[in-house]
Amino acid sequence: MIHQMIQKHRRFLGTSLIALIIIAILIALPTGYEDALLYQGTIRAVGKVVQVDNSTIKSSGLIQSGEQMCTLLIEDGPLSGREVESVNFLSGSLEKDKIFVPGDRAYVTISESNGQILSAVITDHYRLSAELWLFAAFALFLVLFAGKNGLQSLYSFAITVLMIWKVLVPAYLKGMNPVWVGMGITVLLTAIIILFVYGFERRTVVATLGSLLGIFTTAVMGILFTDLFKIHGAVMSNSESLLYSGYEHLNLTAIFMSGIFIGASGAMMDLSVDITSAVYEVIQKKPDIGRWEAARSGLNVGRAAMGTMTTTLLLAYSGGYIALLMVFMAQGTPIDHILNYKYVAAEILDTVVGSFGLVTVAPFTAMAAGFLLTKRASSKALGALPSLSDAEQAA
């Protein structure tokens, strides 16, 4: 018992060290886009709105345009304690515009020369404090509930965010092939995250193999059906703004293709880990179980899980398009026209192709688990990897 606890503690320390090293490297890694021209020579600060002037705002129903003048008390930076007059430009877009009232905190971009303020433009409401409190509460409850596993989940979360921001996005902006870059990063993240779940043992190999098969299937089908559906990458939100910002060389359609398998990879990892863990528990309770019997147990778990996983993908992808569906219904648009619109077709493509990936994950993971986790598959199948008894001690 004590030996098992020591082995488990060593595994946790080992994966934690790897995670912290990866996080440190990613934080230090430059993106090459840190100093945008828009913010060079300016001061970014947080200010509290103490007074507003709405006299120049023109209202037409829900639409407001013009300028809102705000007096802000700067709370940080070299101008801390000073009051500045700032302008909030309104373009008539409910999506982009914001209205301030006294007491609000806002981000403001200030241009100054020799201590004299030339201009001050309000960027948006200040939300970082609330975001920090929300994430801190999430992290606290996760660690309190899941203990060391919760902490490793936070490692995975941080690495995924940093990998997307520090590697994936800059690579796309530099014109690298989105499909190959997305595939490489997805494969790397899959291996790292599952390693944090199981450590250096055979379950990691099984779950990773199962996930990757589903990811590869999704990638191939996504590329094929994006072409068949004649979907252009401009269906992605803000994609045209990206082109007009000087990145007209980017292949938006390839970026859309990569987004299909990247978006579905999390569900595939989840299903693969569930099946691997279920087969492992069956083998723990029945050590003499045969390969095919263990694989059938994994398939039964996979069948049950796939029913909810496909619905999970549907809800995840369609949640952001509720307003669009309401517009279609309010206008009485026929259902065949709705299904034929490229925005809806793109969501169908995401959901169905991702579900195809899940269908391949379940049987392959079950087969791999049945053959690689049973006693009969120990040294021949994996060479130097630990036997099942070693994996039990590491767990």
Side-chain angles (χ1 to χ4, degrees):
M1 181 66 179
I2 296 176
H3 181 66
Q4 291 179 355
M5 293 179 62
I6 293 174
Q7 290 290 337
K8 190 174 182 179
H9 185 65
R10 285 179 178 175
R11 186 188 73 176
F12 172 74
L13 291 179
T15 53
S16 296
L17 180 61
I18 293 173
L20 293 174
I21 291 174
I22 295 174
I23 291 172
I25 292 173
L26 289 173
I27 290 176
L29 184 68
T31 64
Y33 298 91
E34 285 82 7
D35 297 320
L37 292 175
L38 179 64
Y39 296 104
Q40 287 183 5
T42 62
I43 298 173
R44 285 167 288 170
V46 178
K48 184 177 181 180
V49 179
V50 295
Q51 186 178 350
V52 297
D53 179 4
N54 299 331
S55 60
T56 60
I57 296 178
K58 299 177 181 179
S59 299
S60 177
L62 296 175
I63 305 301
Q64 293 180 309
S65 59
E67 300 175 355
Q68 181 187 38
M69 303 304 298
C70 302
T71 303
L72 289 91
L73 177 64
I74 304 301
E75 297 181 340
D76 63 354
L79 301 178
S80 178
R82 291 184 57 178
E83 286 192 355
V84 300
E85 296 294 328
S86 181
V87 60
N88 172 32
F89 295 104
L90 303 175
S91 62
S93 170
L94 291 175
E95 177 186 1
K96 298 178 181 179
D97 289 343
K98 54 273 179 187
I99 295 292
F100 296 91
V101 297
D104 285 347
R105 299 179 72 206
Y107 249 138
V108 58
T109 302
I110 303 171
S111 297
E112 60 95 25
S113 177
N114 298 322
Q116 182 179 0
I117 297 176
L118 303 178
S119 67
V121 178
I122 294 182
T123 306
D124 209 331
H125 288 88
Y126 181 73
R127 302 181 178 93
L128 294 186
S129 295
E131 290 174 0
L132 182 60
W133 279 109
L134 177 63
F135 182 77
F138 162 72
L140 177 63
F141 278 97
L142 183 62
V143 173
L144 288 177
F145 178 76
K148 293 179 179 179
N149 290 333
L151 187 59
Q152 290 178 326
S153 297
L154 292 178
Y155 293 151
S156 301
F157 185 88
I159 290 173
T160 302
V161 170
L162 289 170
M163 190 74 76
I164 292 173
W165 182 249
K166 291 280 193 170
V167 182
L168 182 72
V169 174
Y172 282 2
L173 287 174
K174 292 173 183 176
M176 296 183 183
N177 188 297
V179 173
W180 288 111
V181 171
M183 180 61 68
I185 289 177
T186 304
V187 169
L188 182 60
L189 284 174
T190 300
I192 291 174
I193 292 170
I194 295 178
L195 174 65
F196 291 162
V197 174
Y198 293 129
F200 293 95
E201 60 163 279
R202 282 184 283 159
R203 284 181 293 176
T204 300
V205 176
V206 171
T208 302
L209 288 175
S211 299
L212 294 184
L213 179 67
I215 292 170
F216 290 143
T217 302
T218 305
V220 172
M221 295 192 65
I223 293 171
L224 175 63
F225 282 94
T226 297
D227 184 57
L228 290 177
F229 281 20
K230 299 190 182 301
I231 301 295
H232 192 278
V235 297
M236 298 182 294
S237 179
N238 297 314
S239 57
E240 289 190 56
S241 298
L242 180 62
L243 294 182
Y244 300 147
S245 299
Y247 292 92
E248 63 276 356
H249 63 281
L250 297 182
N251 187 340
L252 294 180
T253 302
I255 295 175
F256 172 79
M257 292 174 181
S258 69
I260 296 175
F261 60 81
I262 291 175
S265 61
M268 294 180 197
M269 275 190 282
D270 189 13
L271 180 59
S272 183
V273 168
D274 287 345
I275 295 174
T276 301
S277 297
V279 174
Y280 179 78
E281 289 300 318
V282 170
I283 295 172
Q284 291 283 84
K285 298 297 186 295
K286 189 178 179 182
D288 59 341
I289 190 172
R291 294 172 174 174
W292 289 106
E293 187 179 357
R296 281 195 297 270
S297 298
L299 284 172
N300 291 334
V301 173
R303 291 191 187 101
M306 278 190 295
T308 56
M309 281 295 179
T310 53
T311 307
T312 299
L313 287 178
L314 173 62
L315 294 174
Y317 288 130
S318 64
Y321 282 86
I322 293 299
L324 178 63
L325 296 177
M326 291 173 67
V327 170
F328 286 146
M329 181 167 288
Q331 294 177 346
T333 307
I335 188 66
D336 56 330
H337 284 217
I338 294 175
L339 295 176
N340 194 63
Y341 278 119
K342 62 180 178 181
Y343 292 101
V344 178
E347 293 304 305
I348 293 174
L349 182 62
D350 275 333
T351 304
V352 177
V353 169
S355 299
F356 261 104
L358 288 174
V359 171
T360 60
V361 165
F364 188 79
T365 305
M367 295 295 293
F371 275 74
L372 299 181
L373 296 182
T374 52
K375 283 185 176 180
R376 300 176 188 177
S378 57
S379 58
K380 290 183 180 179
L382 293 169
L385 287 174
S387 64
L388 184 61
S389 59
D390 294 331
E392 291 172 0
Q393 292 177 1

